[in-house]
Amino acid sequence: MTVLIAEKDPTSLSVDEIGCARTAISRLAWINGITGKREPVDTFVDAAAHLSGADASFDHYERLLIEIGRRGVLSDEECFALHAAYLTQRADGV
């Protein structure tokens, strides 16, 4: 599976060899002009999550990854793989 960094950029990342997930997320966001700022829909999503008892808070890299997915820069599967790599590396203190 290949994660395209940008349509204009032939450079790609192999999901099997992501390396530092934080770097990959930051690079994808920067190339695609993504800042991770909250969108109006985020307020609704937070309220719905709170009401369902599924409170979740996202750090900067996770907010970037959410926006990367919303804009269609990566497929759902690619976002999931990159998020899994990020969570694993964060848990390992990388």
Side-chain angles (χ1 to χ4, degrees):
M1 178 183 303
T2 299
V3 178
L4 294 178
I5 293 180
E7 281 186 41
K8 300 174 197 166
D9 184 356
T11 308
S12 63
L13 296 172
S14 168
V15 170
D16 298 326
E17 300 172 0
I18 288 174
C20 178
R22 288 179 182 160
T23 301
I25 293 167
S26 295
R27 185 173 181 200
L28 284 165
W30 182 76
I31 288 171
N32 291 283
I34 295 169
T35 63
K37 290 194 311 187
R38 289 181 56 82
E39 298 286 328
V41 71
D42 293 329
T43 302
F44 170 77
V45 171
D46 289 345
H50 177 71
L51 291 173
S52 72
D55 286 330
S57 60
F58 301 107
D59 66 19
H60 176 68
Y61 295 99
E62 290 170 314
R63 285 194 309 274
L64 290 174
L65 195 51
I66 289 168
E67 187 64 22
I68 287 168
R70 284 180 180 162
R71 290 199 190 176
V73 173
L74 300 179
S75 69
D76 291 341
E77 293 82 10
E78 292 165 332
C79 282
F80 181 77
L82 189 51
H83 193 215
Y86 171 69
L87 292 175
T88 299
Q89 290 173 10
R90 187 176 74 178
D92 292 342
V94 175

